Amino acid sequence: MLQRGLAKNILVLVALLAALSGCICSTPQHPEVLQASHLADEPSSASLERFAGFLRIPTVSSREAPDHTRNPETFTKAHEYLESNFQDVWKQLDVEKVAEHSLLITWPGTNSTLDPVLFISHQDVVPADDVDLWSVPPFSGLIKDGFVWGRGAIDTKFSLTAMLEAVTTLLASNFKPERTLLFGFGHDEEVGGEKGAGSIARLLASRGVQLDMVNDEGGMLSVDGLKPLTHTPVALIGTAEKGFQSLRVTVKGTGGHSSRPPLDASTVADRMARVILAVDAQPPPTRLVAPTTSLLKALAPKAPRAFRWILSHCDNPLVAPSLAKYMAAKSAEFSGVVRTTVAPTVLQAGSADNVMPQEGSIIFNFRPMPDETANYTKEFLEGHLGRDKAHAAIEYVGEYGLPSNVSAAQGAHWDIMHEAASTTLSDQDIVVAPYLLTGSTDSKHYASIVKGGIYRFSPLQLSMKAGDTRRIHGLDERVTVNSYLKAVTFYEKLIKLSGSLSQ
Ligand SMILES: *[C@@H]1O[C@H](CO)[C@@H](O)[C@H](O)[C@H]1NC(C)=O
Ligand SMILES: *[C@@H]1O[C@H](CO)[C@@H](O)[C@H](O)[C@H]1NC(C)=O
Ligand SMILES: *[C@@H]1O[C@H](CO)[C@@H](O)[C@H](O)[C@H]1NC(C)=O
Ligand SMILES: [Zn+2]
């Protein structure tokens, strides 16, 4: 049995490698997922207008300002705007300002013994200072050509107004949640979230609140699938996120007059270059662990035939190493989910064109895997210093953002995410799969008061083909009208299911 299993593994690996080098790259066209919009429909166009209006308020966060806002007045304006456009929410629910610019909304449940479910969004956006490079002004909030345009359309003002639309509809239908529902809208997620989400989390902790479940922005509905593994649309539910850690390597070298460079490649620049090249040549090892193994298994039934067996056996020790290596080589996105990544980000040395500096430094930013040990990053760099070891020092820069826990991809919490996504986002068959976020979200601030799971999902249709990933924090950020309206129905469904979540 064992022998036959082994032979099958090898055969499939050979088939996989053959497939990868040829046929799978020619992708069959699949039917367009986007549906015709219903702009003529009165309630939807009013809801689109409320979303677009929110995009016109430039609530840019800033690391430099003590309160993390570029202009505090824009947040005051945002609060006034939300209050006058979602009057029922402000009248019927408890709305608190936290740390002046953040919002916490409480919808009390009928059974106060049940722990609340928290929905997270954020009011702030990254700057859009390349105004001239946009097709429309970034804060114009235009509804045009079937899209709603503007900075924050994807990340993540859409979720804030879509949640409020859903709450408004549910209030009007006299829905009463059994479980208390909380909505936390921070104001500085884009610069770490410490003032906004951090303050809300501390306030909840001081009140002794334990959260049952958290829903935050995160993965999206990839309408193109995940090529080459599947062409079926995939809703990527972030059940974990990677960590964040920066370290600075400072090197000392032969400095002095640049007319007499040393013969032994001992300048600061030589040493810096060697360290960077060593890291490039030998990056952290690849491995397949949860939740990526769960993602691949969920994709298996919708994968091309050549992949099916391999994906459904991706945690088999004979398959995992080759598959991880394949994914690491395939794209930066896949590479990010199968290894701790490391990138040189800030390089400093030298101040005059005729002087070799005495000292220089490189900051390496790491994104550790969920199961990475805390001291791995430093040990990794120490192991790459080679002949420059005696001339280098390594220190931590900033806080270590620990990788998150991995939330369950089964059970009651997962089931409601699955149900909400599969019934509202597409008229077609989609895959709903767990996913490892390579970036980080506001949910990390609540991690210590969550008993159940954290699920990071932005219910938007994202098309790789249309270059949508580049629009996030980039130019021409926009969402389709249809996708926004579906997001509203997603939140209606999820809020309803959360309100009656038993356990
Ligand atoms: C509230 O929930 C708890 C836990 O599920 C349950 O035991 C209790 O009967 C519920 N109370 C009411 C009034 O529904
Ligand atoms: C890991 O690093 C910390 C300091 O960052 C240190 O206190 C601890 O002893 C180290 N643990 C191991 C196992 O080396
Ligand atoms: C993991 O879960 C435990 C228990 O809920 C919690 O105390 C801890 O803060 C979590 N860790 C992270 C990194 O989120
Ligand atoms: Zn965001």
Side-chain angles (χ1 to χ4, degrees):
M1 273 315 280
L2 196 76
Q3 288 244 328
R4 209 186 293 162
L6 181 65
K8 185 167 185 193
N9 276 325
I10 292 168
L11 274 178
V12 175
L13 276 178
V14 171
L16 173 68
L17 293 174
L20 298 178
S21 53
C23 61
I24 297 188
C25 308
S26 59
T27 54
Q29 291 299 311
H30 57 95
E32 192 50 71
V33 176
L34 307 184
Q35 308 296 314
S37 67
H38 306 282
L39 254 178
D41 186 340
E42 202 33 59
S44 350
S45 66
S47 110
L48 287 167
E49 189 41 53
R50 283 188 285 270
F51 170 38
F54 190 40
L55 295 177
R56 289 179 206 131
I57 309 171
T59 44
V60 177
S61 48
S62 157
R63 210 179 289 280
E64 278 71 47
D67 65 355
H68 282 177
T69 69
R70 188 184 261 195
N71 175 359
E73 281 161 28
T74 56
F75 288 85
T76 311
K77 202 170 158 203
H79 296 179
E80 286 164 7
Y81 178 84
L82 294 172
E83 179 169 1
S84 66
N85 281 277
F86 299 97
Q87 293 183 11
D88 292 345
V89 178
W90 260 250
K91 277 187 201 135
Q92 297 181 45
L93 305 183
D94 181 24
V95 182
E96 296 172 84
K97 288 193 188 191
V98 181
E100 205 177 335
H101 307 301
S102 286
L103 295 171
L104 173 63
I105 302 176
T106 304
W107 191 350
T110 54
N111 186 341
S112 59
T113 65
L114 298 171
D115 291 326
V117 171
L118 170 70
F119 292 82
I120 302 176
S121 181
H122 58 87
Q123 304 165 60
D124 62 310
V125 294
V126 295
D129 297 333
D130 305 321
V131 177
D132 296 343
L133 300 177
W134 282 61
S135 310
V136 304
F139 294 103
S140 57
L142 284 181
I143 304 172
K144 181 167 148 307
D145 306 332
F147 297 98
V148 185
W149 301 73
R151 170 60 84 229
I154 306 178
D155 184 7
T156 186
K157 284 184 164 175
F158 92 91
S159 67
L160 197 154
T161 55
M163 285 176 190
L164 293 175
E165 292 291 345
V167 171
T168 302
T169 305
L170 291 170
L171 283 170
S173 74
N174 222 9
F175 171 72
K176 301 245 185 308
E178 262 176 85
R179 198 179 276 280
T180 295
L181 304 175
L182 301 172
F183 297 84
F185 301 151
H187 71 270
D188 64 341
E189 192 273 350
E190 298 294 357
V191 297
E194 177 51 35
K195 306 272 178 203
S199 299
I200 299 175
R202 285 187 290 275
L203 176 67
L204 293 174
S206 76
R207 292 174 179 168
V209 173
Q210 284 271 352
L211 300 169
D212 179 61
M213 176 184 181
V214 170
N215 178 276
D216 196 2
E217 62 175 329
M220 300 190 185
L221 175 67
S222 171
V223 296
D224 314 309
L226 275 186
K227 285 174 191 165
L229 304 181
T230 185
H231 301 292
T232 305
V234 191
L236 296 161
I237 315 273
T239 52
E241 63 187 43
K242 294 179 87 181
F244 183 105
Q245 186 174 35
S246 296
L247 289 94
R248 182 186 292 115
V249 177
T250 304
V251 297
K252 292 192 193 313
T254 306
H257 204 292
S258 59
S259 64
R260 294 182 299 276
L263 302 180
D264 59 352
S266 63
T267 67
V268 161
D270 290 316
R271 298 197 196 285
M272 286 169 67
R274 270 194 297 273
V275 174
I276 292 173
L277 289 176
V279 167
D280 276 350
Q282 214 168 43
T286 58
R287 61 178 176 278
L288 271 177
V289 294
T292 303
T293 42
S294 320
L295 164 70
L296 298 179
K297 286 183 178 186
L299 297 182
K302 302 287 180 190
R305 210 161 275 286
F307 280 114
R308 264 178 228 166
W309 189 88
I310 274 203
L311 294 184
S312 57
H313 293 78
C314 63
D315 48 5
N316 180 317
L318 291 167
V319 175
S322 320
L323 188 53
K325 280 208 180 71
Y326 160 65
M327 287 175 66
K330 194 71 194 167
S331 69
E333 284 75 20
F334 278 148
S335 176
V337 300
V338 296
R339 63 156 43 111
T340 291
T341 56
V342 52
T345 51
V346 181
L347 285 79
Q348 283 175 321
S351 57
D353 71 340
N354 58 351
V355 179
M356 297 180 297
Q358 306 283 344
E359 195 176 287
S361 67
I362 311 160
I363 293 182
F364 287 99
N365 180 245
F366 288 81
R367 302 301 174 101
M369 289 280 269
D371 64 343
E372 198 61 270
T373 54
N375 293 21
Y376 173 74
T377 55
K378 193 162 182 207
E379 285 161 12
F380 170 86
L381 286 177
E382 276 163 1
H384 284 70
L385 295 178
R387 63 169 272 200
D388 301 299
K389 198 174 181 110
H391 309 277
I394 302 175
E395 63 187 325
Y396 291 101
V397 179
E399 302 252 309
Y400 188 167
L402 285 173
S404 75
N405 292 325
V406 181
S407 299
Q410 58 188 41
H413 298 128
W414 172 260
D415 288 348
I416 65 170
M417 293 301 298
H418 191 288
E419 184 177 346
S422 57
T423 58
T424 61
L425 295 182
S426 175
D427 304 328
Q428 298 191 10
D429 201 16
I430 65 170
V431 182
V432 180
Y435 172 67
L436 174 64
L437 247 70
T438 51
S440 92
T441 65
D442 260 351
S443 67
K444 61 181 174 287
H445 296 286
Y446 300 92
S448 63
I449 57 167
V450 184
K451 284 208 290 208
I454 299 179
Y455 296 89
R456 304 158 187 84
F457 181 58
S458 301
L460 280 186
Q461 296 170 353
L462 186 100
S463 165
M464 311 268 181
K465 231 179 357 188
D468 287 346
T469 20
R470 287 193 302 275
R471 300 175 193 277
I472 306 172
H473 293 199
L475 304 176
D476 287 348
E477 191 174 346
R478 65 182 195 194
V479 303
T480 67
V481 158
N482 176 56
S483 181
Y484 179 72
L485 297 176
K486 285 200 181 314
V488 174
T489 62
F490 170 86
Y491 285 119
E492 270 175 43
K493 183 90 182 187
L494 187 65
I495 291 169
K496 241 180 172 162
L497 292 169
S498 302
S500 56
L501 190 62
S502 57
Q503 239 173 22

